Amino acid sequence: MPRFLTPSKVSLLALVVLYTDGVLPTRATVPFLNFLVKYILPLDTTSSSDGGSALASASPASKPASSVIPLADFQKALIVHQSIIPGRNMWDLFLKKLWEINSLDALFIYFEGLLAMIAKTRQEREQDAEQGLPPQDTKKILLSRTSPMGNFVRRSYLEFTRLQFHDVKALWESLVCFRNETLVEWRKRNPTAGKTSFDANLKEGGLKWEDELTGIVYERLKVIEEAKVELEGPNGLVSTDDVERLLEFQVEEMQKLGNRIPDDIRKQLRAMLESGVTVPSLSQYVQFLDAWRAGDYPTSFETLHRYFDYTMHNRDRTFYQYALLNLAILQADFGCYSEALAAMRETITTARENKDLGCLNFSLSWLYHFGKVHPDEVKNEDTNGGMMGIEREGLAFLKAKAKENGMWSLMATSLLSEAKMIMSNGENLSRAFENILQSSHLSVVKGVTNMIGAQVLLKSSLWSRLGVGPLALDECEIFLICNATNASIDDIVKVTCRVAYLLAQKGRYDDAMAKLDEIDVEDMKNLRIYQYWTAFSGLLKLKRQLHRGNSDAANELLAQLLTAPPVDPDISFELVLLRYDLLIRRADYSGALDLLEETFKKVEKDSGDIHHRTRLMTLKAQLLDRCGRTEKGWSIAVRAIGIAKRAKDLSALYAAVGAVSKCLVELKEFEAGWKLMDSVMPQVHECADAYLTGQSYAYLVEATMGLAGAASPGSIKRTEYIVKAQDLLDKAFTEFSHAEDITGMLETLVKKSTAYKMAGDMKLCNEYATKFADLDRRWGKEGGVGGL
C-alpha cells in the first residue's frame, strides 16, 4: 500500500496545476477552490487544551472527506465551469492534464515540475540571480510555501522522491487503472486515442496490447482486464495516509457520538488494514473503543494496553497520562471504582509532571463528577491534594482554569455543574438559570455543541421542579427535532428517555413506550446505552404495573431492576420510590418505613439532592398518617413545605401541601385542609402529573366531605358540599384513569357511591357500587387487584 500518493492525489495535483496556469474564470474560482481545499487540507488535530477533547488528544481526529475520490466527482465538480479557453470547460482541461501523463517518464517529469508552482523565498531569488537563472514566470499564479495548496504540493513532491522504483511502478499502474474509465470521454476529444494510449512507449514502439512484451511490462493490468475486475482500493487507490485519516475519523465519531462502528464500515476497515497498512496503534485504539462500547471488558482492556504500548514506544512518555486517563474511565465504566480512582490519581500526577493542562483539568473535572455520582467511593480519598475537598471551591477552580486556558468545553461543563449544585442545595434558582444561559452562550459562540444535550436535560429538570411540566417536555422535544443530528447518542437516548418519563407522568404510557422504541437498534450495540434504555423502560413498565395493581408483575420487574448495575442516581431514586409504593400497596408499612429511613440516611450522608429529601419527607408524613400518627406526620409535612418553598421546588411543594391537607382532615380541621389544598390546585395542573393531580383532588374530596359531614343533615350547605364533592370525584377519577391507577379509580367510585348515599340517592349509589364491582372484577383478572 502506498504511503501517501494515490491516483486521487495525482488528480488533485492536476487541479492545482490548472489553477496556477490561470485558466480558471473569476466566477468559478470560489467553488473550484472549495472542492480542491476540501480534500487537501491537513488533518484538523484536536487540541488537547480543551477539557472536553482531552480523551481524544492521544489520537487526534479530523473530519476528512472521502479518501478515494472517484472521477465522477471530479467530472460533476468541473464540467459546470467554463475555462478561459473558448469551447473548453474545466473537465476537458482536467482530462488533458491526466492523459498527458502518458508514460512512467512523464510521471517523473510531472512531479519534477511541481516545485515550479511554489513561490521562491527572497534568499532563493538572490541565489538564482547570482547564478544567472531566469526569474519565475510571473504570468502564472505562484503558491505560498505555507498555504494549504503549497503544503500539499511540497509534500506530494517529497513523498514521490522517497518512493522506491517498484512503488513508483505501482503508482503508475494504479493511475492507469484509475484513469482508464475516462477513455471514452478522452476519445471524443482525441480520436487517435486507443487501448494503448496510456503509454506512449507502446505506441512509438509499435507494440499492441496482445504482444508478449506488453504482457511482461503490464502483467498486472492484463490480469485485471482478463478477470474483468477493477483495481480495489487497498491495492492502490488508498494510501496509508488515507487509512490513517479514516481511522482517526472513526475515533472522533465514536468519541463524539458515543456509538460503535457500523458493520459495513468495520468490514471495509478490516479489508484495508489486512492489505498491509502500517498503523497498528491507531487500529488498536479503534478496536478498544468498539470493545468498550460493546461492553467487552477483556478485549477493551487488552487493546488499550496494546495501543499505548505502541504509543509510548514511539513517543516516549508524552502520552502516558492519556493512557492512564483512558484506563481510569474504562475501569469506572465497568464498576471497578477503586482501580479507577487509583488510575486517575496517577493521571493527575503525570499530567502535572508533563505540564499538560488539558489533561490535568479534564481529570480534575472527571474526578469531581465521579465524586458526585459515587460519594461513598471517594469519602476517604483526599483527591488531588485537597483541591476538590470543597465542592464550591472545586468548581471555582475548574472555571478559573478553563477560562485561563480557553478550554470552553470544560467551562460549559463547570457552569452546568454549578447550576446542578445550586438546584441540589436548594439555592437561588435564578443563578442556576444564569449559569445554564452562560453555558448555552458558550455553546453558540465557541461551537461547543457537545454540551447542548446536557443543557437541555438540566433545563428540563429545572422546569419540572418549578412545576411547569409542558415547558420541560417542550425543551426535550425541540432538542430531538433541531439538535439530534449533531448530538451524541448518549444525549439523544437520555433526552428521549426524559420525554418518555414526562409522557408517562401525563398517563400516556403507550406514547412513552413508543418513544423509547424509536431509538435506533444500532445505538443499542453500546452496552452503557442499552443498560440505560433497559433500566428506563423497565422503570416505566414497573410504574404502570404498580398503578394497574399487578403486584406480581411489579415485584418481578423490581427484582430484575434491583439486580442490574446502577446506571444513574435519579433512576436509582425512582426505583426506591416505586419499591416504597409496592410495599404500601401490600400494606407492609414497617418495611416501607425502614426503606424510607435507610434512603433518607443515605441522602443525608451523601449531601443528596434537596428534591429527594423533600420527597422522602412527604412520603414519610403520608405513611405516618396512614398508621395513625397524624400529628407527627403533620409536623414532618410542614417541614417539607418549608424546605421545598425555600428551594423553589414547587412539584415537591404541592405534594407536601397535599400531605398537610390530609393530616388536617384527619385532625378534623376540614376547612383549613380544604383552603390549603384548593389554593394550589391550579398550579398542580401545571405540573402535568396525572397521579399527583388525581391525588390532590382526592385530598380535596376528603376535606369537602368532611365539611359536608360537619354540616347539619338536610341543610343546603351540606347538599352544596356533596355536589361539589361529586364534581371533584369526577375530576379525580379522570386523572386516575389517565394515570391508569386502578386503586385510585376504585377508591373514587367507593367515595362517589358514599356521597350519593349521603344525598339520599340510592339509585345512583347502587349504580356506582355496580361500576366499582365491574371494575374490580375486570382488573382483578387482568391486573391482579382482587378487591380493596
Side-chain angles (χ1 to χ4, degrees):
M1 178 178 287
R3 174 174 170 170
F4 179 77
L5 289 173
T6 60
S8 298
K9 291 188 171 66
V10 174
S11 303
L12 290 173
L13 287 170
L15 293 184
V16 177
V17 173
L18 291 176
Y19 173 73
T20 57
D21 286 344
V23 296
L24 191 66
T26 304
R27 64 178 177 274
T29 302
V30 173
F32 182 87
L33 290 178
N34 280 339
F35 176 80
L36 184 59
V37 172
K38 180 172 65 172
Y39 294 101
I40 68 173
L41 275 179
L43 295 178
D44 183 16
T45 304
T46 304
S47 174
S48 63
S49 65
D50 191 348
S53 61
L55 189 60
S57 299
S59 53
S62 65
K63 272 193 176 177
S66 176
S67 298
V68 181
I69 317 169
L71 282 169
D73 287 0
F74 283 99
Q75 182 177 9
K76 184 179 178 181
L78 299 176
I79 202 169
V80 294
H81 302 302
Q82 294 296 324
S83 68
I84 62 174
I85 301 175
R88 291 288 183 267
N89 56 38
M90 294 304 298
W91 170 247
D92 297 330
L93 299 182
F94 172 73
L95 283 182
K96 184 181 178 183
K97 282 292 179 185
L98 275 188
W99 283 93
E100 281 177 353
I101 310 174
N102 55 6
S103 66
L104 188 60
D105 182 61
L107 183 64
F108 274 93
I109 295 172
Y110 178 79
F111 276 94
E112 286 175 0
L114 292 180
L115 292 183
M117 298 186 293
I118 305 297
K120 293 184 177 181
T121 62
R122 181 179 177 181
Q123 184 179 1
E124 289 174 336
R125 290 196 300 270
E126 291 175 353
Q127 290 176 355
D128 289 347
E130 291 175 359
Q131 297 174 8
L133 297 176
Q136 286 183 291
D137 189 359
T138 56
K139 294 181 180 180
K140 290 188 176 183
I141 300 174
L142 297 177
L143 303 176
S144 169
R145 301 175 63 87
T146 56
S147 67
M149 285 191 288
N151 275 325
F152 176 68
V153 169
R154 289 192 300 120
R155 182 176 181 186
S156 299
Y157 175 79
L158 179 63
E159 293 290 344
F160 186 79
T161 57
R162 288 178 174 178
L163 291 179
Q164 300 294 326
F165 180 78
H166 65 277
D167 294 325
V168 177
K169 181 175 177 292
L171 175 62
W172 164 245
E173 291 177 346
S174 302
L175 177 62
V176 170
C177 292
F178 178 76
R179 183 183 59 186
N180 195 51
E181 64 182 83
T182 63
L183 180 58
V184 177
E185 293 280 340
W186 179 239
R187 277 178 178 172
K188 293 178 182 179
R189 296 157 178 79
N190 188 6
T192 61
K195 196 171 184 179
T196 58
S197 297
F198 64 88
D199 193 342
N201 296 315
L202 296 179
K203 189 174 182 180
E204 292 174 4
L207 296 174
K208 298 181 180 180
W209 182 250
E210 297 81 10
D211 292 345
E212 184 179 356
L213 181 58
T214 306
I216 294 173
V217 177
Y218 292 108
E219 179 183 3
R220 185 171 170 226
L221 300 183
K222 290 180 71 69
V223 170
I224 291 172
E225 189 205 30
E226 290 170 3
K228 295 183 179 180
V229 296
E230 295 182 358
L231 189 67
E232 294 181 357
N235 293 322
L237 300 186
V238 177
S239 66
T240 300
D241 179 73
D242 294 328
V243 175
E244 212 167 50
R245 286 168 67 102
L246 285 173
L247 290 172
E248 290 171 351
F249 175 71
Q250 293 302 324
V251 169
E252 184 192 31
E253 290 299 297
M254 294 170 73
Q255 290 178 334
K256 175 185 173 184
L257 302 178
N259 55 1
R260 295 181 62 193
I261 303 176
D263 293 335
D264 54 342
I265 301 296
R266 185 184 290 108
K267 292 178 182 177
Q268 295 179 29
L269 287 175
R270 187 180 294 114
M272 292 178 182
L273 293 172
E274 289 174 353
S275 65
V277 60
T278 51
V279 281
S281 61
L282 201 56
S283 64
Q284 294 295 337
Y285 195 75
V286 173
Q287 292 178 31
F288 154 68
L289 289 176
D290 193 56
W292 180 12
R293 300 286 189 267
D296 187 353
Y297 178 75
T299 304
S300 57
F301 192 80
E302 179 185 353
T303 49
L304 177 65
H305 275 273
R306 195 176 299 168
Y307 168 70
F308 281 105
D309 283 345
Y310 282 117
T311 303
M312 288 186 62
H313 178 73
N314 295 327
R315 304 178 186 175
D316 299 326
R317 290 177 59 89
T318 308
F319 283 79
Y320 181 54
Q321 63 267 28
Y322 293 105
L324 295 169
L325 178 60
N326 279 269
L327 180 62
I329 298 175
L330 176 66
Q331 298 280 21
D333 261 13
F334 286 98
C336 306
Y337 301 127
S338 57
E339 292 86 350
L341 281 173
M344 190 56 71
R345 285 199 300 271
E346 191 173 352
T347 302
I348 293 171
T349 303
T350 309
R352 281 173 173 164
E353 290 176 359
N354 294 336
K355 298 181 180 180
D356 190 338
L357 295 179
C359 182
L360 175 62
N361 291 324
F362 181 83
S363 303
L364 294 175
S365 177
W366 184 91
L367 201 58
Y368 166 78
H369 290 95
F370 181 84
K372 292 294 292 181
V373 178
H374 306 287
D376 292 337
E377 299 293 334
V378 295
K379 60 183 178 181
N380 296 322
E381 299 289 341
D382 184 19
T383 57
N384 73 355
M387 184 62 70
M388 303 298 294
I390 301 176
E391 184 177 1
R392 200 178 302 276
E393 291 183 3
L395 283 174
F397 170 78
L398 289 174
K399 285 199 300 181
K401 287 298 180 183
K403 188 174 182 180
E404 178 183 335
N405 298 293
M407 300 158 55
W408 306 119
S409 180
L410 178 60
M411 184 72 174
T413 304
S414 302
L415 287 168
L416 291 181
S417 299
E418 187 175 6
K420 195 169 184 179
M421 181 192 68
I422 291 170
M423 291 172 57
S424 178
N425 295 339
E427 300 174 20
N428 191 351
L429 291 186
S430 60
R431 287 183 54 217
F433 268 115
E434 181 183 350
N435 282 7
I436 294 173
L437 288 175
Q438 287 179 1
S439 179
S440 301
H441 176 74
L442 281 177
S443 298
V444 174
V445 175
K446 302 298 182 181
V448 190
T449 56
N450 60 325
M451 296 306 303
I452 295 177
Q455 293 160 7
V456 167
L457 286 169
L458 190 58
K459 208 184 301 182
S460 175
S461 176
L462 191 52
W463 287 125
S464 293
R465 293 198 181 192
L466 289 173
V468 193
L471 275 181
L473 182 60
D474 289 344
E475 285 282 352
C476 296
E477 289 183 335
I478 290 172
F479 170 82
L480 293 177
I481 294 171
C482 301
N483 301 102
T485 306
N486 299 318
S488 68
I489 303 300
D490 197 45
D491 286 342
I492 292 173
V493 171
K494 286 185 177 181
V495 173
T496 303
C497 290
R498 176 70 179 168
V499 170
Y501 178 79
L502 294 173
L503 290 173
Q505 259 193 348
K506 299 171 71 174
R508 296 166 55 184
Y509 286 102
D510 292 333
D511 293 340
M513 298 309 298
K515 197 70 180 176
L516 290 176
D517 291 338
E518 287 178 4
I519 299 175
D520 193 356
V521 179
E522 285 293 324
D523 300 338
M524 295 300 172
K525 292 183 179 179
N526 186 323
L527 178 64
R528 187 174 60 179
I529 290 175
Y530 178 73
Q531 288 176 339
Y532 189 90
W533 179 88
T534 303
F536 219 96
S537 58
L539 190 75
L540 296 185
K541 290 176 182 177
L542 172 59
K543 189 175 183 179
R544 191 176 197 181
Q545 293 301 331
L546 279 174
H547 284 184
R548 288 182 169 185
N550 193 344
S551 57
D552 292 335
N555 190 54
E556 183 66 26
L557 283 168
L558 182 62
Q560 294 177 12
L561 290 170
L562 290 176
T563 54
V567 294
D568 187 82
D570 291 331
I571 292 180
S572 300
F573 183 74
E574 287 292 330
L575 278 177
V576 170
L577 298 185
L578 293 176
R579 185 182 172 192
Y580 164 83
D581 193 8
L582 179 61
L583 292 173
I584 290 295
R585 290 172 189 269
R586 289 183 165 181
D588 186 1
Y589 297 147
S590 60
L593 184 60
D594 291 341
L595 177 63
L596 289 179
E597 292 288 352
E598 178 185 349
T599 308
F600 194 83
K601 286 179 182 178
K602 187 175 185 304
V603 171
E604 287 287 334
K605 177 184 175 183
D606 299 338
S607 300
D609 197 332
I610 198 76
H611 177 74
H612 295 173
R613 278 183 261 181
T614 21
R615 289 282 298 275
L616 292 171
M617 291 173 69
T618 303
L619 292 176
K620 186 175 181 180
Q622 293 172 345
L623 179 58
L624 290 173
D625 179 57
R626 281 174 178 265
C627 298
R629 303 286 298 277
T630 305
E631 293 86 353
K632 188 173 182 180
W634 179 85
S635 174
I636 293 174
V638 169
R639 285 169 51 204
I641 287 178
I643 295 173
K645 185 179 179 182
R646 286 193 299 272
K648 297 294 187 294
D649 189 355
L650 301 187
S651 59
L653 173 65
Y654 303 146
V657 166
V660 170
S661 175
K662 181 70 166 56
C663 291
L664 289 173
V665 170
E666 292 295 328
L667 296 172
K668 309 301 181 184
E669 297 291 340
F670 304 119
E671 187 173 357
W674 188 90
K675 287 181 178 179
L676 183 63
M677 197 69 246
D678 184 63
S679 65
V680 298
M681 281 310 298
Q683 289 79 16
V684 169
H685 276 282
E686 292 181 2
C687 293
D689 188 340
Y691 183 75
L692 176 63
T693 309
Q695 201 174 44
S696 300
Y697 274 121
Y699 293 152
L700 206 55
V701 166
E702 292 190 11
T704 307
M705 291 299 292
L707 291 171
S712 302
S715 63
I716 298 175
K717 184 172 288 189
R718 184 171 191 172
T719 305
E720 289 176 353
Y721 282 134
I722 291 175
V723 171
K724 186 181 291 185
Q726 290 169 353
D727 180 54
L728 294 173
L729 283 168
D730 288 336
K731 294 179 179 178
F733 186 84
T734 301
E735 297 297 333
F736 283 130
S737 299
H738 289 159
E740 299 185 8
D741 188 71
I742 307 306
T743 303
M745 293 164 64
L746 293 175
E747 288 180 351
T748 304
L749 290 176
V750 170
K751 291 175 182 178
K752 192 149 191 180
S753 178
T754 305
Y756 279 114
K757 186 177 181 180
M758 288 181 64
D761 193 340
M762 297 306 297
K763 181 179 178 181
L764 288 175
C765 173
N766 293 331
E767 180 182 339
Y768 278 96
T770 305
K771 287 183 178 180
F772 166 83
D774 292 340
L775 187 64
D776 187 21
R777 191 182 307 111
R778 176 162 64 88
W779 285 100
K781 293 179 181 178
E782 298 179 6
V785 177
L788 290 174

